[in-house]
Amino acid sequence: MTKIMGYADRLSLQPGETVGIMASCIGADRFRAEIVRLLNPNAGMGASEYREVAIETPANATYKAREQKIHAGSFGVVPEKWALRGIESFTLQAYVWPTTPKKGARALMGNWAEPGTGFGLALDDKGAAEIRIGGFRLSSGVPMLERRWYLVAASFDAKSGQVKLWQEPIYDKTFHAERPVAVEGKAKASVADKGAPFLFAAWRAGESKTPTGWGRLLTKGHFNGRIDRPRLARIALDRAQIQALASGMLPSGVEEKVLGVWDFSKDISGERITDLSPNRLDGEVVNLPTRASPGHNWTGAEMNWTKAPEQYGAIHFHDDDISDAKWQPDFSFTVPKDATSGFYAAKLVADEAYFYVPFFVRPTRGTVKAKIAFLASTATYTVYANNRSRFVRMLTELYQGRLSMMDNVDILQFEFPEMGVSTYDRHTDGSGVSISSRLRPVTNWKPHGRLWNYCCDLFIVDWLEHTGLGYDVITDHDLHAEGQDLLRPYNVVITGSHPEYWSLEMLDALDGYQRQGGRHMYMGGNGFYWRIAFHPTNPNIIEVRRSEDGVRAWDARVGEYYHQFTGEYGGLWRRQGRAPQVPTGVGFISQGFDACSYYRRTDQSRDPRVAFMFEGVTDEILGDFGVLQGGAAGLEIDCADFSLGTPPHALVVAKSENHSNTYILVAEEINIGHGALDAVQNAAIHADLTFFETPSGGAVFSTGSIAYAGSLPINGFDNNIAKLTTNVLKRFVDDKPFPMPR
Amino acid sequence: MFKIDPSRLDVAREFKAKPFGEHSPELQYVLNYMRTRVTPDFHVLVMTEPGKRWVLAHMPTGGGVPRMTNQSFDKLEDAEWHVFKLRWKDITGQDLPID
Ligand SMILES: [Fe+2]
């Protein structure tokens, strides 16, 4: 079967700018590419007939197919330097915290390379510490336990051939039967390996013909777990000298023999790793391992790594980390000067296989082409990129109340696991995935498949097209970079079906816009929920630390609540004084995925302040229809909560009801578990269609439901949801200020 | 602990009539029982035509490439009922005497 996949080197483009498209195609000689603008999702029954508009461009062509590989797995690397040459005797040591000691041999540190040159510390195939010198190996013989700290050290005296290896558990208040292990052996091997880089958490495995995460270096033996305070000396140190070096001092009398004293607590936000020794064997990490990880000496007294970096000297490496596939472009597309702003994609087709590579065309910076902006939730799309967890356990069916569904593009993720997972997943060692990059093929940004996020937002695009009022598409990434100025020219900013992830910069920009008279239509559910951190220099990469609370795919370990990229505290915005109810009037209350429901108008909907909304809407029941499980209220729903910041003058104009058993109260609303947490029994569970005015003549309209977007196209947009929403849009586009009620 | 009572055909009929949406407490217990079992693999649907056609497949627990069956559906409700019957038989040892 032919396979095709790809990604773009840029996400949001202005007219005149060029995007490179990287593709990998297996099983065909050629593939066809076409640049398309997407107008709606391919959603089947009830939705508008699927349409995509081909853009006239020389990029639309047939290209020679080639396979491009992904080299996943994080590691640290120090480039070959003078101080690393001519090593004969040596000592290697580090504190290590293995997470998969039973998963076969793994590298810890050294310049060891397959099939057997150089020297290095490793875990053997049983998870015991091992020293490798060329083809020689000596193991402690005692498997290390998961998620415990050890001091691992090895020395080699080239003259005598004496090899020593230590594996010592670190006292940590738990009870266990482990004892320090020390073994000795004799090696005839020579360590000589000229011109080799020095690695952490991987060993060298040759060269690639194409770029990899670091030059063209191929790596194997990727370690799962943490490494703290690694050291290298060009002499066989004794145990006391190793201890001195471990604690940060240069052992007296042999100071000049110490080559590397790495401190992973430096530059935690970036990729640099620092050697404190005069040799400055600095290096970098590749494929973004998790930093800001508690080290062997973390006491639990300080949770914030910026306040006690010396207790956060560990890097947590994973064999499935991937920050950039480093593929070569197959072709490029230059956005025509007169291009319409919108959702675009390079559609790649080979035989029966196809793959959409999405990107966005925004207006030229500082200009607008419409009074309406649709803010594409690109931060949320990135965080969700390659969501694998929903397919790997029956748990998804349990909470969704229906069989899990996938399509052929989703399956690519299982055929090519090296493309990596999302922040909804756990790494292969069970630790939560806190970093997601979009510089790799992404299987869930497409106009087909599960009607979620990207695909679901195309319902809103479809409706905007239908209104004919004109709109620009801008992205979270633009908002994070440019702030309020991006929004200011627009009378209305529309946020999507599930704008869940927000950086402080994004949230401040929206707040400022709303305060200055901007109008905001929040057309979704569970928005403005998690705090995120963008990579300091590469906005394609986003971090989320799932701390404390919330409906979450995994829970951050205690002590790991602060983002490595920014030092900002992670978790729900609600737990940081900025609940979603503040900007939108509503916040997450429940989710369920088996059936959607409807809204019923409230007495507040008769208020003259919202008369504009109900012009021509006579029904009391709103949205008892929809492509998304038959109703406008559902999937993830939000309600008003005045204690969390819903403005006191907000009007709840319609309220959903009659939700099913799978709708359970969100975790952050449950302090004591009990048996009445589902919507059949718990009256708190409902969506609120909410409106309020803001100072300076602005206003906010919130649907509080992901499913809402799927009701818009029903009956050719002739229905009470489309009518009401279009009424809101028309009024919001109108310059006439909204007066604040007294 | 709750166990499925194979004589409660009324519960199975309720599911057949309405696989999605509000369920009686008895039916919800049955579904929870079925969906919390730990099995080497579990049923998923592979959508072959958007919103129109779904093929039943076995997905390995923990991840892997799904194994397709030759059973396909053009209504999600039919897929749910098909899987419900398979699980009923698997758990109770008895065929559901309902089509
Ligand atoms: Fe979400």
Side-chain angles (χ1 to χ4, degrees):
Chain A
M1 274 250 286
T2 302
K3 310 284 175 192
I4 190 157
M5 63 196 103
Y7 65 96
D9 61 6
R10 303 187 58 177
L11 185 63
S12 176
L13 287 105
Q14 305 179 36
E17 291 184 333
T18 299
V19 60
I21 305 293
M22 279 69 79
S24 178
C25 180
I26 304 166
D29 297 333
R30 307 193 152 264
F31 69 90
R32 165 102 197 145
E34 186 172 51
I35 304 298
V36 293
R37 188 161 75 89
L38 303 170
L39 299 177
N40 61 2
N42 192 348
M45 286 257 289
S48 324
E49 198 179 332
Y50 179 66
R51 15 195 244 297
E52 54 189 34
V53 179
I55 306 302
E56 217 170 288
T57 162
N60 296 341
T62 299
Y63 298 93
K64 194 169 156 37
R66 59 170 166 178
E67 181 179 4
Q68 303 209 61
K69 291 204 188 296
I70 301 172
H71 303 281
S74 58
F75 58 97
V77 57
V78 176
E80 192 270 334
K81 288 183 182 169
W82 183 84
L84 287 170
R85 283 182 215 158
I87 295 174
E88 290 175 345
S89 302
F90 66 84
T91 300
L92 289 168
Q93 64 180 76
Y95 291 101
V96 301
W97 194 76
T99 51
T100 60
K102 291 178 184 149
K103 275 199 176 169
R106 306 285 172 137
L108 288 172
M109 61 188 290
N111 67 9
W112 193 84
E114 291 186 348
T117 57
F119 62 102
L121 269 181
L123 269 63
D124 73 6
D125 55 3
K126 302 242 166 24
E130 179 181 78
I131 176 70
R132 298 179 171 193
I133 308 168
F136 171 87
R137 296 180 191 196
L138 175 69
S139 161
S140 77
V142 180
M144 289 189 271
L145 300 179
E146 261 185 63
R147 291 178 161 78
R148 288 186 56 80
W149 280 106
Y150 297 85
L151 175 68
V152 173
S155 69
F156 174 58
D157 182 75
K159 224 177 216 170
S160 64
Q162 179 91 28
V163 183
K164 293 185 181 178
L165 175 66
W166 295 269
Q167 174 188 311
E168 303 181 0
I170 305 297
Y171 168 73
D172 68 356
K173 295 193 170 63
T174 62
F175 297 100
H176 59 86
E178 284 195 282
R179 289 288 172 268
V181 185
V183 293
E184 293 189 20
K186 284 265 185 198
K188 280 194 198 121
S190 156
V191 303
D193 189 345
K194 291 192 180 69
F198 189 90
L199 271 61
F200 302 98
W203 60 63
R204 295 179 292 131
E207 288 251 309
S208 163
K209 289 197 185 76
T210 51
T212 64
W214 194 75
R216 289 171 188 256
L217 181 71
L218 289 172
T219 48
K220 279 189 183 163
H222 290 273
F223 174 63
N224 286 313
R226 296 180 185 175
I227 299 178
D228 183 7
R229 291 169 167 75
R231 313 285 192 238
L232 169 67
R234 58 163 72 245
I235 185 179
L237 298 175
D238 64 27
R239 181 63 189 82
Q241 290 169 320
I242 286 169
Q243 194 59 45
L245 195 50
S247 51
M249 290 180 290
L250 298 185
S252 181
V254 291
E255 294 94 332
E256 73 284 3
K257 304 290 187 191
V258 174
L259 296 179
V261 181
W262 288 280
D263 183 352
F264 291 167
S265 74
K266 301 259 186 260
D267 303 302
I268 279 176
S269 296
E271 270 112 313
R272 188 183 153 93
I273 51 178
T274 300
D275 171 20
L276 301 179
S277 89
N279 301 307
R280 295 292 184 102
L281 295 178
D282 298 334
E284 61 187 288
V285 290
V286 176
N287 277 332
L288 282 170
T290 307
R291 303 189 73 164
S293 296
H296 77 287
N297 57 341
W298 185 68
T299 65
E302 181 57 65
M303 301 289 167
N304 180 347
W305 63 265
T306 67
K307 299 272 172 59
E310 71 286 354
Q311 291 182 37
Y312 285 84
I315 295 179
H316 192 143
F317 298 93
H318 307 95
D319 60 10
D320 58 348
D321 280 322
I322 176 76
S323 64
D324 187 339
K326 297 271 173 130
W327 285 1
Q328 301 293 292
D330 287 82
F331 64 95
S332 63
F333 164 65
T334 300
V335 181
K337 286 268 189 268
D338 59 348
T340 309
S341 175
F343 279 58
Y344 283 70
K347 183 184 179 182
L348 312 178
V349 182
D351 299 332
E352 73 289 350
Y354 57 92
F355 194 96
Y356 286 84
V357 177
F359 57 92
F360 300 84
V361 173
R362 55 167 287 183
T364 301
R365 194 168 171 167
T367 71
V368 297
K369 287 188 167 171
K371 287 184 162 186
I372 300 164
F374 180 73
L375 180 67
S377 304
T378 51
T380 299
Y381 305 160
T382 300
V383 159
Y384 264 95
N386 290 344
N387 181 350
R388 178 181 183 273
S389 67
R390 68 189 186 91
F391 302 127
V392 300
R393 292 186 305 275
M394 221 190 324
L395 175 73
T396 310
E397 185 184 332
L398 178 67
Y399 73 73
Q400 296 211 337
R402 56 171 62 230
L403 291 162
S404 294
M405 192 273 287
M406 59 179 71
D407 70 9
N408 281 333
V409 174
D410 294 316
I411 294 172
L412 287 173
Q413 211 186 341
F414 294 96
E415 294 169 328
F416 302 91
E418 61 274 19
M419 68 171 66
V421 294
S422 75
T423 70
Y424 282 77
D425 296 285
R426 291 178 184 273
H427 287 288
T428 57
D429 72 354
S431 57
V433 176
S434 54
I435 296 171
S436 177
S437 166
R438 59 152 213 94
L439 297 174
R440 55 184 171 135
V442 172
T443 54
N444 52 348
W445 297 15
K446 58 194 178 190
H448 56 89
R450 186 187 186 204
L451 298 165
W452 195 253
N453 270 341
Y454 182 88
C455 193
C456 193
D457 285 348
L458 288 170
F459 281 121
I460 300 171
V461 168
D462 193 16
W463 163 70
L464 285 168
E465 289 283 330
H466 180 80
T467 66
L469 293 173
Y471 65 97
D472 287 342
V473 171
I474 52 177
T475 72
D476 284 349
H477 284 73
D478 301 315
L479 185 60
H480 177 80
E482 294 166 35
Q484 202 193 131
D485 282 10
L486 179 73
L487 308 181
R488 280 312 299 275
Y490 296 103
N491 282 24
V492 192
V493 170
I494 298 172
T495 50
S497 59
H498 189 31
E500 184 177 3
Y501 293 84
W502 286 71
S503 68
L504 177 64
E505 290 83 349
M506 288 162 58
L507 206 52
D508 280 349
L510 180 68
D511 181 41
Y513 170 74
Q514 293 189 181
R515 250 164 239 292
Q516 301 303 324
R519 287 86 187 259
H520 175 199
M521 293 176 74
Y522 162 39
M523 300 273 288
N526 188 9
F528 313 89
Y529 193 60
W530 291 102
R531 184 172 193 153
I532 51 168
F534 279 78
H535 184 282
T537 57
N538 188 342
N540 297 302
I541 300 168
I542 294 177
E543 180 184 15
V544 54
R545 296 263 170 148
R546 299 190 186 277
S547 77
E548 279 196 26
D549 208 350
V551 175
R552 47 190 178 155
W554 51 269
D555 52 320
R557 283 176 71 98
V558 171
E560 300 170 25
Y561 289 1
Y562 287 80
H563 292 105
Q564 71 185 56
F565 289 162
T566 57
E568 294 168 319
Y569 189 63
L572 302 186
W573 276 113
R574 168 178 168 151
R575 302 297 295 258
Q576 302 194 39
R578 297 184 76 163
Q581 281 87 350
V582 176
T584 73
V586 296
F588 195 24
I589 190 69
S590 182
Q591 62 176 26
F593 302 91
D594 62 327
C596 293
S597 195
Y598 55 86
Y599 302 84
R600 184 185 294 278
R601 279 184 69 168
T602 61
D603 290 345
Q604 290 195 334
S605 76
R606 324 283 164 190
D607 192 301
R609 285 161 55 204
V610 287
F612 69 91
M613 208 183 282
F614 289 92
E615 265 170 45
V617 178
T618 51
D619 301 326
E620 291 299 304
I621 302 290
L622 305 172
D624 54 341
F625 48 80
V627 180
L628 293 162
Q629 301 175 3
L635 301 177
E636 297 188 16
I637 55 174
D638 303 347
C639 68
D641 187 333
F642 295 94
S643 72
L644 287 173
T646 299
H649 63 290
L651 296 173
V652 172
V653 300
K655 210 176 140 168
S656 77
E657 57 189 36
N658 209 13
H659 292 285
S660 71
N661 313 55
T662 69
Y663 285 76
I664 307 287
L665 207 60
V666 291
E668 59 272 27
E669 286 288 329
I670 302 168
N671 285 330
I672 299 174
H674 53 73
L677 296 174
D678 68 36
V680 178
Q681 305 171 79
N682 196 308
I685 296 173
H686 70 280
D688 282 330
L689 202 66
T690 303
F691 168 84
F692 63 92
E693 301 87 347
T694 54
S696 319
V700 176
F701 168 79
S702 296
T703 68
S705 162
I706 290 180
Y708 192 94
S711 297
L712 293 164
I714 297 295
N715 194 30
F717 298 93
D718 186 8
N719 64 70
N720 53 35
I721 290 289
K723 178 79 189 156
L724 180 146
T725 319
T726 306
N727 285 345
V728 173
L729 181 61
K730 285 183 172 159
R731 175 62 187 90
F732 276 28
V733 171
D734 190 335
D735 293 334
K736 195 174 106 192
F738 282 93
M740 277 289 267
R742 287 170 190 276
Chain B
M1 277 294 281
F2 175 82
K3 278 215 165 72
I4 295 179
D5 176 355
S7 72
R8 290 293 302 271
L9 300 184
D10 58 317
V11 176
R13 281 197 190 93
E14 183 195 339
F15 184 76
K16 189 187 178 195
K18 191 183 177 188
F20 307 123
E22 187 178 333
H23 302 315
S24 67
E26 292 80 4
L27 173 57
Q28 193 61 53
Y29 268 40
V30 166
L31 292 171
N32 290 350
Y33 188 95
M34 289 177 168
R35 292 165 176 164
T36 49
R37 285 197 309 156
V38 180
T39 50
D41 52 38
F42 58 98
H43 289 104
V44 295
L45 296 174
V46 176
M47 186 164 72
T48 50
E49 285 174 68
K52 282 196 189 105
R53 188 135 209 96
W54 296 269
V55 175
L56 189 67
H58 297 278
M59 187 73 187
T61 296
V65 179
R67 299 188 314 277
M68 305 289 196
T69 69
N70 47 24
Q71 193 81 42
S72 74
F73 307 91
D74 55 14
K75 277 181 71 188
L76 288 169
E77 286 80 358
D78 295 346
E80 293 288 343
W81 177 237
H82 180 85
V83 171
F84 185 92
K85 284 197 291 186
L86 291 175
R87 289 175 178 168
W88 185 280
K89 169 84 198 266
D90 194 29
I91 293 165
T92 68
Q94 299 179 24
D95 280 313
L96 253 181
I98 307 170
D99 275 344

